[in-house]
Amino acid sequence: MSDNSKNNNLRKALSSIAKLNYINPDDIPNIPLYMDQVTTFMEEQLSSYKRYPEDKTLTKTMINNYAKNNLIPPPENKKYTKQHMLLLIFIYYFKNFMSISDIKSIFDPISENFFDDSSEIDLTYIYKYIFDLEFEGMNILVKDVAKKYKYAEEAFPKTGNDEDDEVLSTFALICMLGFDVYVKKLMIETLIDSKKKTADADKKNNKGGPGNV
């Protein structure tokens, strides 16, 4: 494979990172929105993340299911507030690698304690802070992917066939990236399960308190 081809492939591998952005909370309307307005807004803002043009970002059915399963508080008079929108954006990212029950378990205390925008630390503050942290780490991520790409290029002895060499290097890169995903997903699940065990233990201890004897 020529050096130009290698550079082109590296640019393609990094392009999915370069196009990442997040919805600025200042761009979210401060007035409650009806469902059609919510889905239109999400489609416009998140369309660059779609793998295929026909893919949907968030549909009415999805959002109704999220409300039904208590991932988000119920809409107010069939309208969704800015706080609802922020939670839906988080769900859009989380649903790609987390189960509905896991998302609910991490959302419950957030919705309970910070959904009301009257608090000093509200959802808008949390959203801005978290996404700022993520994008501050983008350069580190780009360097890590570039390093893995180099490792993948050198992983196997050259076969003498450019197509075979590319198949092997692409497979090696996918495996390395996939292992990263697996490890981080495992860490997330461990954190969630640990939180659940602590919450269950607290409930058990409270039930066994003096007032319940």
Side-chain angles (χ1 to χ4, degrees):
M1 186 187 301
S2 67
D3 290 339
N4 285 336
S5 296
K6 291 179 181 179
N7 291 333
N8 286 335
N9 285 340
L10 178 57
R11 282 194 290 269
K12 288 178 182 179
L14 296 175
S15 65
S16 58
I17 301 175
K19 74 177 183 180
L20 287 176
N21 201 346
Y22 78 106
I23 298 176
N24 190 322
D26 295 333
D27 293 336
I28 301 174
N30 283 316
I31 58 173
L33 303 177
Y34 285 109
M35 176 70 83
D36 286 342
Q37 295 172 308
V38 172
T39 55
T40 298
F41 177 84
M42 293 296 186
E43 188 69 21
E44 291 173 349
Q45 296 291 325
L46 297 171
S47 59
S48 63
Y49 292 91
K50 295 193 296 185
R51 185 176 183 183
Y52 303 110
E54 63 270 19
D55 289 346
K56 298 295 182 182
T57 53
L58 288 170
T59 66
K60 296 178 183 178
T61 301
M62 291 179 187
I63 296 172
N64 282 331
N65 284 336
Y66 300 151
K68 182 180 178 181
N69 287 285
N70 300 315
L71 268 73
I72 59 173
E76 303 171 4
N77 298 318
K78 297 184 178 181
K79 291 184 177 181
Y80 296 82
T81 64
K82 184 173 185 176
Q83 287 68 38
H84 284 108
M85 301 287 281
L86 293 171
L87 288 179
L88 286 171
I89 294 168
F90 278 119
I91 291 174
Y92 175 77
Y93 295 109
F94 288 157
K95 69 184 179 69
N96 291 289
F97 56 90
M98 292 172 61
S99 68
I100 293 297
S101 61
D102 281 347
I103 296 175
K104 183 180 183 305
S105 71
I106 62 174
F107 268 18
D108 282 347
I110 297 296
S111 295
E112 181 179 348
N113 298 319
F114 305 107
F115 191 79
D116 187 349
D117 60 3
S118 64
S119 62
E120 182 177 350
I121 299 179
D122 60 6
L123 269 177
T124 300
Y125 179 92
I126 294 170
Y127 177 91
K128 283 183 176 180
Y129 188 80
I130 288 176
F131 276 90
D132 284 347
L133 285 178
E134 293 295 329
F135 280 89
E136 283 178 9
M138 194 65 72
N139 287 336
I140 297 174
L141 181 59
V142 168
K143 290 178 181 178
D144 181 63
V145 173
K147 185 188 298 184
K148 284 182 170 58
Y149 186 89
K150 182 180 179 181
Y151 289 159
E153 285 292 315
E154 301 170 353
F156 299 100
K158 298 305 177 185
T159 65
N161 183 299
D162 286 348
E163 290 185 6
D164 287 347
D165 290 341
E166 184 173 1
V167 166
L168 290 173
S169 63
T170 300
F171 181 70
L173 180 59
I174 289 172
C175 287
M176 285 189 286
L177 294 174
F179 185 70
D180 274 1
V181 173
Y182 172 76
V183 170
K184 290 174 181 177
K185 185 173 183 290
L186 183 62
M187 292 175 64
I188 290 170
E189 292 170 348
T190 300
L191 289 170
I192 291 172
D193 291 343
S194 177
K195 175 182 172 296
K196 286 180 180 177
K197 288 179 181 178
T198 301
D200 290 343
D202 289 342
K203 288 180 181 178
K204 185 177 180 180
N205 291 335
N206 290 335
K207 287 181 180 179
N212 295 304
V213 176

